[in-house]
Amino acid sequence: MNTAPPKGRGTARAPDSRFLDWQREPSDDGWSQDTPTPPLRTQLQIDTARSVITTNQSPDVPFTQSINPYRGCEHGCVYCFARPSHAYLGLSPGLDFETRLAWKPEAASLLRAELSARGYHCSPIALGVNTDAYQPVERQLGVTREILKVLAECHHPVVIITKSALIERDLDILGPMAREGLVQVMVSVTTLVAELARTLEPRATAPHRRLRTIRTLAEGGLPVGVLFAPLIPALNDEEMETILSASRAQGASTAGYGVLRLPREVGPLFEHWLNDHAPGRAAHVMSLVRQLRDGRVNDARFGERMRGSGLFADLYRQRFALACKQLGLAPRHLALNTQRFTPPGADRQGRLF
């Protein structure tokens, strides 16, 4: 049976949604052994959400509000912690997650309505946390850009996390917002090894191009940091200092990191990926992952899920802190201006009356 992913995709596997009444299992009938897998086109469907701002009370993330313009992500990162959320749509967290996307065409108008609500309290909105707000389909759909226009109009602070150079398109919006203290960008850099990046995150911007994006954003006046995530033991952990140093040289002023998370269906998908692409070290990687997660492949407890626990987690913390100190990289922070927020239309009403 051909287990190689279709060209440009992160996985060939498509485990069914755990909420379905039935489950399928692959079966090799002997006919598909040498049959190449054809390219898969991205399919889009409309997400008819009635709101766009999601709130959370997690102590592990430095924001309480977020917006995800898309469900699913074309980047195809096999390790993506958001994959299990596709099961809520009745779709596979595997191949469906990267090929069958939902988008929110009414996102900007819904956001405008929510920011206009009488009881709305302004705090930074994180954009593209679950799935990248600048994934490839954004180039045609422009949902993220329309959201940014609303936030800029309202002088609302925003934090953007991305691994895409497409963010450079919106410098005309983000530059003026940065001058008001309304923007922070974190560029995610997982590896600087091109061969690893091509299979680990097949449709994301190439590593060297992400470094150039950091430079472009910094030169545009944006406070930009590097997010080394996910840190994968025995696969990319040795690159921590190299990535932080290279990012600092391009203008990054802050840094953060996160250890690999393997919730629900992500665990088997990632193990399959290891067996396909790094069979010689697969058992070692998973052994270290379990040592970081108290013997499990995932630990969802607050305070543990982002950094892990135990000896190796402590060593990673020490390495990261030392590297940041030596390079002059500040901790990731959200010191953004919330005092300038003006509800949509308020400026215009003020001029009229």
Side-chain angles (χ1 to χ4, degrees):
M1 180 181 295
N2 185 5
T3 61
K7 185 177 180 180
R9 302 301 181 179
T11 182
R13 293 166 176 84
D16 293 308
S17 166
R18 61 186 178 278
F19 299 111
L20 297 177
D21 294 330
W22 44 265
Q23 298 286 304
R24 294 170 293 182
E25 293 186 4
S27 177
D28 185 1
D29 59 7
W31 288 96
S32 60
Q33 185 173 1
D34 299 318
T35 303
T37 304
L40 285 178
R41 294 183 180 275
T42 299
Q43 302 177 50
L44 295 171
Q45 66 184 61
I46 291 177
D47 184 343
T48 55
R50 290 180 288 184
S51 64
V52 291
I53 298 178
T54 300
T55 59
N56 78 85
Q57 297 179 335
S58 170
D60 293 321
V61 293
F63 54 83
T64 57
Q65 300 192 122
S66 63
I67 296 176
N68 291 290
Y70 303 99
R71 295 193 188 190
C73 186
E74 274 192 299
H75 282 161
C77 305
V78 71
Y79 55 73
C80 183
F81 67 85
R83 283 181 176 272
S85 64
H86 235 47
Y88 293 105
L89 302 178
L91 300 174
S92 169
L95 198 53
D96 285 351
F97 178 80
E98 45 193 287
T99 61
R100 300 180 65 180
L101 311 183
W103 66 295
K104 302 174 182 178
E106 302 299 324
S109 59
L110 289 171
L111 175 60
R112 187 179 294 276
E114 290 177 63
L115 297 182
S116 300
R118 184 180 298 274
Y120 179 76
H121 173 72
C122 178
S123 66
I125 287 176
L127 190 57
V129 177
N130 219 35
T131 55
D132 203 314
Y134 284 102
Q135 59 178 288
V137 292
E138 166 64 18
R139 195 176 301 276
Q140 290 77 43
L141 299 177
V143 182
T144 298
R145 183 170 175 84
E146 294 305 310
I147 289 172
L148 287 177
K149 288 179 180 179
V150 175
L151 295 175
E153 173 193 334
C154 299
H155 309 281
H156 195 295
V158 62
V159 179
I160 301 173
I161 304 169
T162 186
K163 56 185 66 173
S164 174
L166 182 56
I167 189 175
E168 296 172 7
R169 177 201 65 185
D170 294 334
L171 272 171
D172 60 322
I173 301 174
L174 296 172
M177 292 183 73
R179 290 192 287 273
E180 297 183 35
L182 299 175
V183 178
Q184 183 188 45
V185 177
M186 298 296 292
V187 177
S188 175
V189 181
T190 313
T191 177
L192 295 180
V193 179
E195 294 80 5
L196 177 58
R198 274 194 292 269
T199 57
L200 194 63
E201 38 194 32
R203 288 200 172 190
T205 296
H208 70 278
R209 184 66 179 86
R210 286 183 229 178
L211 292 178
R212 198 159 84 226
T213 295
I214 291 175
R215 183 180 65 192
T216 299
L217 296 177
E219 290 175 347
L222 274 68
V224 56
V226 58
L227 185 60
F228 177 48
L231 182 159
I232 306 173
L235 194 67
N236 72 341
D237 56 350
E238 64 182 16
E239 295 188 70
M240 177 189 285
E241 290 82 1
T242 303
I243 288 173
L244 294 177
S245 179
S247 301
R248 182 70 174 114
Q250 297 301 316
S253 56
T254 60
Y257 81 99
V259 173
L260 176 71
R261 297 165 54 193
L262 297 175
R264 295 187 178 272
E265 295 90 347
V266 186
L269 289 172
F270 183 73
E271 290 196 61
H272 283 306
W273 181 92
L274 280 174
N275 291 324
D276 289 341
H277 297 284
R281 63 175 74 180
H284 183 46
V285 171
M286 293 309 301
S287 173
L288 293 175
V289 167
R290 289 184 173 89
Q291 291 181 59
L292 284 166
R293 301 298 186 187
D294 198 24
R296 301 182 293 272
V297 297
N298 190 58
D299 186 349
R301 291 178 297 172
F302 289 151
E304 304 290 344
R305 57 180 181 153
M306 299 298 189
R307 301 295 176 87
S309 60
L311 176 62
F312 287 105
D314 290 340
L315 289 174
Y316 289 144
R317 288 188 188 95
Q318 293 171 25
R319 282 177 56 190
F320 180 79
L322 180 60
C324 287
K325 181 178 179 181
Q326 293 175 337
L327 294 168
L329 285 165
R332 182 181 172 192
H333 62 89
L334 294 180
L336 298 179
N337 187 353
T338 59
Q339 302 304 310
R340 292 182 58 85
F341 171 67
T342 306
D347 282 343
R348 183 167 56 252
Q349 293 173 12
R351 287 194 296 271
L352 288 174
F353 296 100

